[in-house]
Amino acid sequence: MEPIHWKYADNREVFRTVWNGETPYLSFRALEDTKMVANGFSTRMGGASTGKFATMNFSYSRKDDPEHVLENYTRIATALGVERDRMVVSWQTHTTNVRLVTREDEGKGVIRERDYRDVDGLICDIPGITLVTFYADCVPLYFVDPKHRAVGLSHSGWRGTVNRMGQVTIDAMKEAFGTCPEDVIACIGPSICRDCFEVGEEVVEEFQKTFRPHQWDQLWAKNGKPGKYQLDLWKANELILKEAGIPGEQITVTNICTLCNHEYLFSHRKCGENRGNLAAFLGIRG
């Protein structure tokens, strides 16, 4: 097995790198500690895909060989100890739409066609179902409610972050399950870091509309190029989760950047469309 030498943003022990067979994935220590869920974030390694998709791509829509994609789902399911055919996959278009997953959704996006689209968040309280969302620099948000035994998994790029996807997901869990934010264990997953995420004035202007002026210095800074800034999606999502009512000590923030670690993780900023998709996984153990 090829060793992984992560470039960490700091020395916190946020993740465990799990090797089950030949398929490695990242697991949040905070979510493991709940003893309630299977959780993971994939790498580029341990899969069946070839070429620009090498080797662990989870998207059927990027013109990878469908048999390779299905095999990748089989391998990651085995590694996580979950059922492949009970996975449910998002259809992401940078919305803040959240779907309540039911038993009728099992297998959609993996072995069955999805009969929904424009879904960037998934919530569920059914043991054995695993939620799946896609990434290649955007921010994965994991939510576990141990009191009501419910979970949520959401995709939050800069558009989702501006529109407070974290808050929207908590609200959906509250409506569906009675979730109280103070009970939630939340994690902000591997994604592009502030040092790597250059944006223009038009993006910063959108953040100015939804974040208070005293927070701006925490979220972005000019980088010396005309009209260019470095934006911190990790901090933005952390602020959103805290304002949603999740205690700070129950929020874990990633220290792994997808672009800094592009040899192990797909990064849109590095590869553009010539790549596969990573995936986040979260489900209540049966």
Side-chain angles (χ1 to χ4, degrees):
M1 294 183 290
E2 177 186 345
I4 299 178
H5 302 289
W6 296 111
K7 298 180 181 72
Y8 294 102
D10 53 53
N11 60 8
R12 291 175 296 127
E13 293 187 1
V14 175
F15 296 102
R16 188 166 64 96
T17 304
V18 181
W19 285 90
N20 283 345
E22 297 295 319
T23 304
Y25 65 90
L26 287 160
S27 176
F28 278 101
R29 294 185 181 277
L31 299 185
E32 290 179 354
D33 288 346
T34 68
K35 309 296 184 184
M36 174 184 145
V37 298
N39 89 94
F41 190 83
S42 69
T43 74
R44 293 179 62 168
M45 298 180 294
S49 298
T50 60
K52 65 184 181 182
F53 305 112
T55 60
M56 185 63 85
N57 165 52
F58 290 99
S59 175
Y60 286 102
S61 65
R62 305 194 73 84
K63 300 182 180 180
D64 193 2
D65 184 329
E67 292 186 4
H68 291 167
V69 178
L70 184 61
E71 175 62 20
N72 292 341
Y73 278 106
T74 301
R75 294 185 188 185
I76 196 68
T78 299
L80 290 166
V82 302
E83 295 181 60
R84 184 199 68 184
D85 295 354
R86 298 190 70 193
M87 290 181 171
V88 180
V89 178
S90 57
W91 188 315
Q92 295 164 202
T93 51
H94 297 280
T95 70
T96 55
N97 297 330
V98 176
R99 182 177 180 85
L100 173 61
V101 170
T102 68
R103 295 185 190 279
E104 288 69 34
D105 292 323
E106 292 184 10
K108 290 180 181 177
V110 180
I111 60 168
R112 300 168 58 200
E113 291 293 329
R114 290 164 288 183
D115 56 0
Y116 51 82
R117 61 175 303 150
D118 302 323
V119 170
D120 283 72
L122 301 167
I123 60 173
C124 188
D125 65 348
I126 302 171
I129 290 179
T130 301
L131 309 179
V132 185
T133 50
F134 298 130
Y135 303 91
D137 283 338
C138 291
V139 182
L141 301 176
Y142 297 70
F143 302 89
V144 175
D145 176 359
K147 183 175 180 180
H148 296 88
R149 294 189 63 80
V151 295
L153 186 62
S154 290
H155 161 262
S156 187
W158 76 257
R159 292 175 181 84
T161 301
V162 160
N163 291 303
R164 297 183 170 259
M165 184 53 150
Q167 176 73 68
V168 173
T169 307
I170 288 293
D171 290 345
M173 293 179 69
K174 181 177 182 179
E175 180 177 352
F177 315 123
T179 294
C180 298
E182 57 266 27
D183 296 325
V184 171
I185 308 300
C187 294
I188 297 168
S191 41
I192 196 165
C193 72
R194 177 176 177 146
D195 289 346
C196 291
F197 194 37
E198 181 183 271
V199 300
E201 288 181 352
E202 71 284 357
V203 175
V204 168
E205 287 171 0
E206 292 300 312
F207 277 78
Q208 288 174 335
K209 296 174 184 177
T210 56
F211 288 86
R212 295 189 292 274
H214 75 269
Q215 299 172 322
W216 294 355
D217 287 345
Q218 299 178 67
L219 298 179
W220 62 80
K222 293 182 178 180
N223 66 6
K225 301 177 185 177
K228 297 297 183 181
Y229 300 79
Q230 299 303 130
L231 179 63
D232 193 338
L233 292 178
W234 298 354
K235 176 57 69 174
N237 280 284
E238 181 183 8
L239 291 173
I240 290 167
L241 298 185
K242 287 180 177 178
E243 290 175 4
I246 302 176
E249 64 271 17
Q250 292 167 207
I251 301 171
T252 298
V253 182
T254 185
N255 59 357
I256 290 179
C257 168
T258 43
L259 182 50
C260 291
N261 292 279
H262 62 84
E263 65 270 43
Y264 303 128
L265 303 171
F266 292 117
S267 168
H268 183 75
R269 285 283 172 125
K270 177 67 177 180
C271 300
E273 295 299 324
N274 295 314
R275 57 167 175 80
N277 273 354
L278 304 164
F281 303 86
L282 182 64
I284 303 166
R285 292 197 179 278

